[in-house]
Amino acid sequence: MPFNGSKGESSRSMMKVMLVGDPGDQRSQLKTVLAALAEPQLEIVEGEAATAANLSENVSAPPDATLVMVNGNEEAALVFLQRQSLHSPRPTLLALLSARSAGLMKRALRAGADEILFMPLDPGEATRALLKVSEARWRTERREGGVVISVASLVGGVGVTSMAANLALALESLHQHVALVDLDLQTGGLAVFLNLDPEVTIMPLVRLEQKLDSIQLESALTKHPSGVCLLAAPKRIEEGELVSDITVGTVLDLIRQLFDYVIVDCGDHVDENGVAAWERSEHLFYVLNQSIAAARSAWRFIDLFERLGLTRLEPHFILDRYNPSHPLTEKAIEATLAKSIYARIPADDRTFETIELKAQDLFQVAPHSPVARAMLDLAALVMPRVEPLALQETFMSRLKSAFGTH
Ligand SMILES: Nc1ncnc2c1ncn2[C@@H]1O[C@H](COP(=O)(O)OP(=O)(O)OP(=O)(O)O)[C@@H](O)[C@H]1O
Ligand SMILES: [Mg+2]
């Protein structure tokens, strides 16, 4: 499969800006500076203060940010800012001032500017201000759904599938509604690990001609007794080729609307499907163990990840089968990677063997084991802090049950 990791990211980070000011040298210079910015990528629309108000209403998609030049006709620019600031929803308003005067700054801010920049526009300053806008917009978009967590590695057999499944079980045991997506399309290890025999897989979603809806998506899921829902990998190895990054993107955008957490097993290699998942992930867990091969691969992964330019996501490194007396210490691995280890899952062959032999899950087999505790700790790390109200309720219900009034 051809692999161009930055494709989806760039299309997601495209930001629409409107440049408002009198036509002339200054406006063309500003446009040149904005067009040359590497990040965020901008679609630039231009207009004059007198007519831009109509323009911003008539364009098909409203701008994310409007840059207003406050130079020649200050009055017109400030009136424009003021009118725009009354709109709801409105773009972020950036005033571009021709002089660094405190009076002018105050007038622009009072007229409704969210941010002040100066002309001639410094590319670094412009990048900073516009990235702030694009990051805020991205966070708002994301908040609409559940949290997506990708689990990945570049070496096989280090525990990606068990980590994804056990994290899902841990979150479910904490009363979260959790989906697992198996993107290790050839191996399909999640169904095996969870002892499920799915009748349905991701395949009907690949073949869909019309827009995917939640009924179709729900009918492709297999429910585990714990409540975790699995979107299983195809039954036949060759079918995996038909699953594209577009399917992955569509599925994740919709599945996150239905669940609190979506955990994606990305397998042990990087491809476009994995990157489509990472682009939508709040967390990316890279799994490694205490071996030179795994540490080297993690290092290669860091290099690759940096080149992908997914600036909004920071991979976290998790040591599975952790053994504190192993000669390759956690500190040595951290020094090699120049990254800290985010979490450790202790080695526990007995528990994992029992899971397999009894065909039961971790929280049935050994709910109080160090592995189960480590998974619950990891779950707690990705859960937002409990609201004070919820805490109070928990406290009150404990109190009531202690006094037998429940
Ligand atoms: N903390 C642990 N302690 C003991 N055994 C473990 C631990 N974590 C995983 N294992 C075992 O290691 C084996 C590999 O785990 P798993 O299948 O999760 O790895 P993977 O990275 O998904 O492998 P693959 O590359 O084949 O998909 C399994 O038999 C699993 O039970
Ligand atoms: Mg696996």
Side-chain angles (χ1 to χ4, degrees), residues 156-162 184 268 320-321 345-349 352 356:
V158 285
V160 172
T161 300
S162 26
D184 195 351
D268 60 11
D320 195 10
R321 289 171 172 267
I345 313 299
D348 185 348
D349 290 334
F352 277 83
E356 217 175 307

Side-chain angles (χ1 to χ4, degrees), residues 125-305:
E125 277 293 289
T127 303
R128 181 195 58 79
L130 292 169
L131 270 181
K132 232 167 92 178
V133 178
S134 81
E135 291 293 307
R137 184 191 60 155
W138 181 79
R139 276 200 299 273
T140 316
E141 278 172 8
R142 291 219 149 183
R143 231 176 272 138
E144 284 169 10
V147 174
V148 180
I149 302 171
S150 287
V151 188
S153 187
L154 284 185
V155 266
V158 285
V160 172
T161 300
S162 26
M163 172 91 55
N166 287 334
L167 180 58
L169 292 166
L171 285 163
E172 191 77 36
S173 77
L174 296 169
H175 311 294
Q176 304 300 305
H177 195 30
V178 189
L180 272 166
V181 177
D182 200 341
L183 286 190
D184 195 351
L185 299 168
Q186 294 206 351
T187 315
L190 276 173
V192 180
F193 187 82
L194 291 169
N195 197 38
L196 291 170
D197 185 15
E199 280 176 20
V200 281
T201 70
I202 193 172
M203 287 318 286
L205 310 184
V206 171
R207 299 197 189 103
L208 274 185
E209 308 227 311
Q210 71 279 43
K211 201 168 166 274
L212 175 66
D213 65 41
S214 55
I215 297 173
Q216 290 153 339
L217 179 55
E218 277 173 351
S219 62
L221 301 174
T222 306
K223 200 160 186 173
H224 183 262
S226 63
V228 169
C229 289
L230 170 68
L231 183 60
K235 289 188 180 169
R236 297 205 188 98
I237 287 184
E238 64 274 20
E239 286 178 326
E241 286 293 310
L242 302 173
V243 180
S244 70
D245 56 334
I246 295 169
T247 307
V248 171
T250 313
V251 164
L252 289 179
D253 289 341
L254 186 57
I255 203 168
R256 72 183 312 160
Q257 306 293 327
L258 310 177
F259 290 86
D260 299 320
Y261 288 88
V262 179
I263 301 177
V264 188
D265 180 340
C266 299
D268 60 11
H269 65 281
V270 180
D271 61 13
E272 287 204 330
N273 291 348
V275 175
W278 299 353
E279 283 170 4
R280 289 163 176 81
S281 295
E282 274 74 22
H283 303 278
L284 169 56
F285 291 153
Y286 183 96
V287 186
L288 71 163
N289 59 17
Q290 285 160 295
S291 72
I292 302 280
R296 282 228 180 98
S297 298
W299 199 83
R300 282 162 66 88
F301 168 80
I302 292 167
D303 172 57
L304 168 84
F305 192 82

